[in-house]
Amino acid sequence: MRWLVGWSSTAAGVAAIGSAGATGYDGETLHPVGSQLLWGDPDPLWAVGDWRPDEVRVIRADAENRIAVLGICGASDEELRRGLFTARGGALRHLTTWPGSYTAVVQVGRRITVCGDLAGARPVFHTPWAGGTAYATAALPLADLIEANLDFGHLAALLAAPDVPAALRDTTPYEGVRRVPPGHALVLRAGAREIAGYEPVASLAVAAPPADPDHAVDAVRDALVEAVRTRLSAPRHVPDLDPGPVPGMGPAERRARRGMPVPGIGADLSGGPASGTLALLAAGLPGRPGTLLGHGTGAGERLLAVTFNDLAVGGREAEVERAGALAANPRLHHVVVTGAEETLPYADLDGPLTDEPGPSLVTAARHRARLAAGSADHFTGHGARQVLDAHPARLADLLMDRKRRHLVRPVAALAKADGSVMVTARVYGAARRLARTPYRAGLEVLAERLMRRRFDEPKGAVGASLAALTWARPGPAARWLTGEALAEVSVLLQADADRSAAGAGRRPGDYRARAALARHAADLRVLEQAAEIRSQRLHAPFLDNQVVRACRALPEALRVQPGARAAILRTVLEGAGVTDVPSGWGAPSHASSAAAARAGLRVAADPLLDLFSTPLLADAGLVEARVIREAVRAGAAGEPIPLDGLADLISLELWLHRLLSRRGTCWTGTPARARAVPSGIQPRRDALASGA
């Protein structure tokens, strides 16, 4: 895991800082383990982990004015220098407009600005410390620093309403550690904190002027091409080419056996439109996108395209066939990774401790098997659905803008899928109710549903759309929580609803879409840590700031149309010179994912029942062990239960076990007891139950 961490001290606290750290216990200097110092006192900043040399840049105007950029950033040193001088006047947004995925930290005198991203894939966390503020791009190091306990209110909200920002607020799993919301920056002035937004938010009062669809799609194309080009033009990282002798194996085979990626650029090629678009863009842009010559892959300078074919489930033949047709491109080298029983969800419950819990923990081994066959720099299509597709609640936004005619095609498509003439009236009525429902009332409805344990929702594709036509809805795991946990989340929602200015100026569709993007980006971050392959970098260009901005500028009337995502990406490819995509491209099936989850539950039922024999979640008062064991048995037997909710519960239980079995800390100079127990969190069941 890679992260950056620093702090801003008050004037009184400067005396406690020395040698780029704080004086710890027994006179030992406090600084992160395995770190490199980017700048020193009185407000030091470190980069921690296996950052590549090209991923860390520091530009200094003088001793008190400097900028650090960590990650893939397309700005030149001169552009960073100009950005630093512009930031001296207090401007923030320009620091987030360069292509790539990065975190920017600017220090101007005693003022420090740390910019988060729009999606939430590169978050910023902060906590009070030593009279000032410590900040980091990971929450766990800050929890170690202040010896934080678990925040069970946050964990309850994560299960009860994971897509509702009002429930999660700015909290984290650790008490006292806060998260900067997407689209905001943390501004520190001599230790004092301020959260500043740098992006305009859609308003009910002032509707955005209608965007030209053609120009909007062109902007998406330009942003995606620039995002891919930025990664191709970055200095090529070549990990150790030969990991050591293994009898009878060449270098490539040894790398694969030891879980090391092939040098060069690769991409997922599932046959879906997002990953396929990135693979074809990367292969078609000028330069050397693929693996290096002479390393036994047979790929030469071609891009390494990886398709995962799950033989344990089946049903992916058409998708694999489409991927093979895409891979006919002479600049692609296609590799098909076959999955088996050991790559099913829940098959491997061991793994590293991630910064936060996330549902992808149960599928990490599955993704690791695919990524192990990939390149050192690997493109993924994660986030495309969230930034390009229309959340069903956007139908209400169209009604608010008096654009009723644009609802005809999406509603007709739902009616055709359901085969009922009543669908049109039901969907239109739900959209009209949402358009007339204030944000405050929407939160109050959710709070009441949680208190009364009302979780039944309509079934099928139409039912999912109808259920999504609300300001907020319960999470899929909420039905298994205790009454006390649901009551706690309900109180949080009611408190947010009671604030007079809560939700003022928000549009329901835009609000729900941003929340869904933040949830997806957070889980992708967990996946990157859980499925991490040494010397590999995953790239998700659809979550870059400039791509997110371009996608948000797409007219709602365009994005709500059936097949809009595939059509937009087809136009992107045509603009880049790629015209021959196979028949059926853009319509991958998700049935295989559900089938894999059920098969994994069936195979891993006994280990999962053992996991929930004495669950930590039950000790914390969030669930009852008996209820969860019954849910596991029901899922393994194929009964219709929300599998994604069960994945949320199992992932959180796994994460708690990994956290409480951890030894050590992220810092030197911390107390001896913090080195002996995980993160300063008391690993006692009575402490968990009491929330101490």
Side-chain angles (χ1 to χ4, degrees):
M1 186 168 66
R2 298 174 302 279
W3 41 280
L4 66 86
V5 61
W7 57 63
S8 175
S9 304
T10 62
V14 172
I17 308 299
S19 302
T23 302
Y25 293 77
D26 300 324
E28 187 175 356
T29 300
L30 184 63
H31 62 80
V33 175
S35 63
Q36 56 175 309
L37 183 66
L38 301 184
W39 61 61
D41 301 331
D43 302 313
L45 178 67
W46 295 272
V48 185
D50 61 335
W51 292 96
R52 297 175 181 174
D54 58 287
E55 293 176 327
V56 180
R57 284 192 288 168
V58 179
I59 302 297
R60 293 178 173 83
D62 51 51
E64 294 187 347
N65 297 274
R66 45 205 175 184
I67 179 172
V69 176
L70 286 85
I72 300 296
C73 180
S76 65
D77 288 354
E78 183 56 34
E79 287 174 316
L80 293 181
R81 189 170 287 105
R82 289 199 300 268
L84 171 59
F85 282 109
T86 304
R88 295 173 68 175
L92 298 179
R93 191 175 186 273
H94 72 284
L95 299 173
T96 69
T97 58
W98 299 308
S101 178
Y102 57 88
T103 301
V105 183
V106 175
Q107 182 174 22
V108 178
R110 293 301 310 280
R111 187 184 75 211
I112 297 175
T113 302
V114 191
C115 293
D117 65 337
L118 291 175
R122 302 185 69 92
V124 177
F125 304 90
H126 61 93
T127 187
W129 185 76
T133 300
Y135 61 90
T137 54
L140 182 57
L142 298 183
D144 278 0
L145 183 65
I146 65 171
E147 300 178 2
N149 292 320
L150 285 170
D151 185 340
F152 293 100
H154 176 86
L155 298 181
L158 202 59
L159 294 172
D163 293 326
V164 184
L168 296 175
R169 299 162 293 153
D170 63 344
T171 58
T172 69
Y174 315 100
E175 285 186 351
V177 179
R178 302 287 175 171
R179 182 193 316 269
V180 176
H184 289 70
L186 174 66
V187 181
L188 305 174
R189 292 179 175 86
R193 294 178 302 280
E194 176 189 353
I195 307 299
Y198 58 76
E199 199 73 4
V201 178
S203 171
L204 292 170
V206 182
D212 178 74
D214 293 336
H215 289 169
V217 173
D218 288 344
V220 173
R221 179 200 62 208
D222 294 343
L224 271 177
V225 169
E226 191 61 29
V228 173
R229 180 181 289 117
T230 296
R231 289 161 170 87
L232 295 181
S233 61
R236 186 60 50 84
H237 173 71
V238 183
D240 296 335
L241 298 182
D242 192 342
V246 177
M249 291 186 182
E253 290 80 6
R254 289 197 289 269
R255 296 184 65 81
R257 173 66 63 86
R258 300 190 180 190
M260 298 177 65
V262 175
I265 299 289
D268 286 343
L269 192 65
S270 65
S275 59
T277 296
L278 296 177
L280 293 174
L281 285 178
L285 290 177
R288 299 174 57 191
T291 56
L292 302 180
L293 288 168
H295 294 296
T297 64
E301 295 181 359
R302 294 180 289 174
L303 180 139
L304 184 63
V306 180
T307 297
F308 185 79
N309 184 21
D310 195 345
L311 300 181
V313 177
R316 298 176 60 96
E317 292 78 9
E319 194 168 320
V320 174
E321 184 178 346
R322 284 194 297 268
L326 288 173
N329 186 310
R331 297 199 75 184
L332 290 176
H333 173 67
H334 193 204
V335 174
V336 178
V337 178
T338 56
E341 189 172 288
E342 59 269 18
T343 60
L344 286 172
Y346 308 102
D348 184 0
L349 300 183
D350 294 326
L353 172 64
T354 56
D355 190 43
E356 298 181 274
S360 59
L361 289 181
V362 300
T363 59
R366 185 176 181 84
H367 290 283
R368 195 180 301 115
R370 169 177 53 87
L371 297 173
S375 294
D377 288 274
H378 198 76
F379 285 94
T380 73
H382 285 285
R385 179 182 302 275
Q386 286 71 29
V387 298
L388 287 174
D389 286 11
H391 192 283
R394 287 191 183 274
L395 297 178
D397 291 1
L398 289 173
L399 287 179
M400 294 167 66
D401 294 337
R402 302 181 183 277
K403 296 179 179 179
R404 296 179 179 85
R405 63 185 180 90
H406 295 295
L407 274 67
V408 174
R409 287 184 60 194
V411 173
L414 286 173
K416 181 179 179 180
D418 188 75
S420 171
V421 295
M422 298 300 297
V423 168
T424 301
R426 292 171 63 197
V427 173
Y428 183 83
R432 184 172 58 181
R433 284 193 299 272
L434 177 57
R436 296 177 176 179
T437 302
Y439 170 79
R440 175 177 178 173
L443 289 188
E444 290 173 342
V445 169
L446 176 58
E448 183 181 3
R449 288 188 65 183
L450 294 178
M451 287 292 290
R452 297 181 180 273
R453 305 187 68 90
R454 292 165 44 201
F455 304 121
D456 293 335
E457 293 182 341
K459 306 297 182 183
V462 175
S465 297
L466 291 172
L469 282 166
T470 59
W471 275 103
R473 59 187 292 195
R479 67 191 64 237
W480 293 305
L481 297 186
T482 62
E484 293 81 0
L486 292 174
E488 183 176 359
V489 178
S490 179
V491 169
L492 291 175
L493 292 169
Q494 189 65 55
D496 191 82
D498 288 341
R499 298 188 184 99
S500 58
R506 290 177 179 166
R507 300 164 63 84
D510 181 76
Y511 171 80
R512 292 295 306 273
R514 289 172 187 258
L517 175 61
R519 170 89 191 282
H520 177 81
D523 191 47
L524 176 61
R525 178 171 172 264
V526 172
L527 174 62
E528 288 178 335
Q529 298 167 11
E532 186 176 20
I533 302 293
R534 183 161 62 94
S535 301
Q536 186 178 66
R537 295 291 188 270
L538 297 186
H539 302 287
F542 284 99
L543 298 180
D544 288 6
N545 276 358
Q546 288 300 76
V547 177
V548 172
R549 284 192 177 100
C551 292
R552 285 181 176 172
L554 290 168
E556 289 177 334
L558 170 65
R559 69 166 78 233
V560 299
Q561 303 309 317
R565 173 162 42 108
I568 291 170
L569 293 178
R570 189 185 295 269
T571 304
V572 168
L573 288 176
E574 289 174 353
V578 180
T579 57
D580 51 343
V581 294
S583 176
W585 179 84
S589 172
H590 298 282
S592 59
S593 298
R598 289 201 178 277
L601 273 176
R602 186 169 58 251
V603 172
D606 290 339
L608 291 176
L609 291 174
D610 291 341
L611 178 69
F612 283 98
S613 59
T614 54
L616 298 174
L617 287 173
D619 291 337
L622 300 182
V623 301
E624 294 182 8
R626 173 187 54 82
V627 172
I628 305 306
R629 289 195 295 270
E630 290 176 355
V632 171
R633 293 190 185 97
E639 297 181 20
I641 65 170
L643 296 178
D644 47 354
L646 195 57
D648 289 343
L649 281 167
I650 295 172
S651 296
L652 183 49
E653 181 70 19
L654 286 173
W655 182 80
L656 287 173
H657 278 274
R658 294 174 189 178
L659 179 68
L660 297 185
S661 65
R662 172 179 178 249
R663 291 297 180 266
T665 175
C666 296
W667 299 84
T668 65
T670 50
R673 66 180 181 89
R675 295 180 181 177
V677 300
S679 311
I681 301 171
Q682 302 175 38
R684 299 195 307 267
R685 295 186 183 276
D686 56 347
L688 282 168
S690 65

